[in-house]
Amino acid sequence: MAFLERSHLEIVRAVELHGTMTAAANALHLTQSALSHSMRKLEDRIGVKLWYREGRSLRLTPAGTHLLATANRLIPQFVHTEEQLGQFARGERGTLRIGMECYPCYQWLQKIIAPYLRAWPLVDFEVKQKFQFGGIGALFDREIDLLVTPDPLQKKSLHFEPVFDYEQVLVVSSDHPLVEKDHVMPRQLGEEVLFTYPVSRDRLDIYTGFLAPAGRTVRKQKVVESTDIMLQMVACGRGVAALPRWLVEEFSEKYPVRAVRLGSRGIQKQIFLGVRRTDLEVDYLNAFMELARNYSEHP
């Protein structure tokens, strides 16, 4: 049965610091008799004296010196851990793991990360992209805490909040034959090379919301992970891409690319932040969502 307690360590430190049992008791807000009784009981349990008593003064025995070294090592760790637990309780500390099901949203996320990290210095921040069973499964399995997605799945245990609207457009080079068009139709892309992110076709809006309903497809699809490289390829006339309009406008000063509407009505989309309902009261998670809403008009 354990008999060494934190209070014993604190008493040994206090006696060493203040010199007497009485002074140590005052510092620890104990009575002198309670402190003496506690330490005598410990000495009886361990079978060794912790102090040599020389009149009113105390001098540590070798066992007492060893216990003091342990106290000096452990008490600061106790105090530090208690401070951290308090930070967890107040929502000031934790880990925010964000899952991304929207490749272009990395540009938007970069605008939020810096102010968030400055405001919440004790919160660790992780961004994850690949999940074993997809983003929704990662939320359920607590692999992530927040999901950025254009495709919410309404479940009772999950909460999805729209943070911004955007239009999915065709991206072409500034000298592409389609650049002067008000919009393009599916049949006009039959001979094009289409650059896409490494996402299945059933998650690509240009297929599900534009080509497939018309029974059309492109000549070839090429997968590119980097937005920069994708736009460089488009700018050089190697093919076309489908991206959010705001992203094209942001990069148009860097690369000679232009946005063309997909269909006469365009493809309108929304980005959602998904969280577990049980986590809606977590302060640092709510702070991220609030910051995200501030970038809703122009991500």
Side-chain angles (χ1 to χ4, degrees):
M1 181 182 294
F3 46 80
L4 184 61
E5 300 176 0
R6 177 179 173 178
S7 61
H8 298 133
L9 302 180
E10 291 175 333
I11 290 171
V12 170
R13 292 186 90 205
V15 171
E16 180 67 14
L17 178 63
H18 298 285
T20 67
M21 288 283 188
T22 301
N26 290 334
L28 295 174
H29 306 290
L30 298 172
T31 65
Q32 194 272 338
S33 60
L35 187 149
S36 298
H37 176 75
S38 176
M39 297 312 292
R40 279 197 303 271
K41 186 176 180 181
L42 176 63
E43 288 177 328
D44 291 342
R45 293 290 300 273
I46 61 178
V48 66
K49 294 295 182 181
L50 299 174
W51 287 280
Y52 298 114
R53 289 167 176 82
E54 301 172 345
R56 298 185 63 180
S57 63
L58 298 172
R59 182 167 55 89
L60 287 168
T61 66
T65 300
H66 180 74
L67 185 60
L68 176 63
T70 301
N72 287 335
R73 184 177 71 254
L74 294 183
I75 293 299
Q77 294 182 26
F78 275 118
V79 173
H80 181 61
T81 300
E82 287 172 345
E83 290 174 351
Q84 290 180 321
L85 291 175
Q87 290 162 353
F88 280 113
R90 295 188 298 271
E92 297 171 358
R93 175 182 287 272
T95 299
L96 179 57
R97 299 163 302 171
I98 296 182
M100 301 291 290
E101 282 191 334
C102 171
Y103 271 83
C105 291
Y106 278 100
Q107 302 298 129
W108 164 79
L109 183 62
Q110 288 174 8
K111 299 177 182 179
I112 300 176
I113 290 177
Y116 181 80
L117 295 180
R118 287 194 296 269
W120 296 85
L122 300 179
V123 175
D124 291 331
F125 191 90
E126 299 177 10
V127 179
K128 298 188 176 186
Q129 181 178 302
K130 296 181 179 178
F131 319 104
Q132 188 174 1
F133 300 108
I136 301 295
L139 264 181
F140 277 121
D141 293 342
R142 296 188 174 273
E143 182 182 348
I144 58 175
D145 306 298
L146 185 148
L147 178 66
V148 181
T149 180
D151 303 308
L153 182 62
Q154 300 304 324
K155 295 285 186 179
K156 287 184 178 180
S157 59
L158 301 180
H159 169 78
F160 284 92
E161 183 170 325
V163 286
F164 64 85
D165 303 329
Y166 69 95
E167 181 186 2
Q168 190 84 341
V169 296
L170 185 73
V171 191
V172 299
S173 64
S174 58
D175 58 357
H176 193 283
L178 294 175
V179 75
E180 299 298 331
K181 301 290 185 181
D182 175 70
H183 63 273
V184 298
M185 300 304 291
R187 58 182 174 76
Q188 293 175 284
L189 302 186
E191 295 302 315
E192 297 288 347
V193 174
L194 177 66
F195 297 113
T196 71
Y197 294 114
V199 178
S200 61
R201 286 195 176 190
D202 62 358
R203 300 293 301 277
L204 291 170
D205 296 318
I206 191 169
Y207 282 109
T208 60
F210 187 67
L211 293 171
R216 300 280 183 167
T217 189
V218 293
R219 177 167 61 88
K220 188 174 184 179
Q221 178 186 350
K222 289 187 176 181
V223 172
V224 181
E225 290 197 11
S226 164
T227 300
D228 264 291
I229 292 177
M230 183 182 295
L231 290 173
Q232 287 184 53
M233 299 289 280
V234 171
C236 292
R238 299 296 185 91
V240 299
L243 295 171
R245 183 181 290 276
W246 62 264
L247 185 64
V248 181
E249 292 173 350
E250 190 169 299
F251 276 89
S252 61
E253 295 182 2
K254 186 176 181 180
Y255 303 115
V257 296
R258 298 292 181 269
V260 183
R261 178 163 291 174
L262 288 164
S264 58
R265 297 184 178 181
I267 297 179
Q268 308 301 323
K269 296 286 293 182
Q270 283 184 306
I271 289 297
F272 294 81
L273 298 183
V275 298
R276 293 178 292 272
R277 290 191 180 275
T278 53
D279 291 342
L280 283 173
E281 301 303 317
V282 177
D283 287 349
Y284 60 81
L285 194 152
N286 274 319
F288 181 89
M289 296 179 71
E290 178 63 28
L291 196 57
R293 285 190 288 268
N294 291 338
Y295 288 87
S296 62
E297 291 186 7
H298 186 72

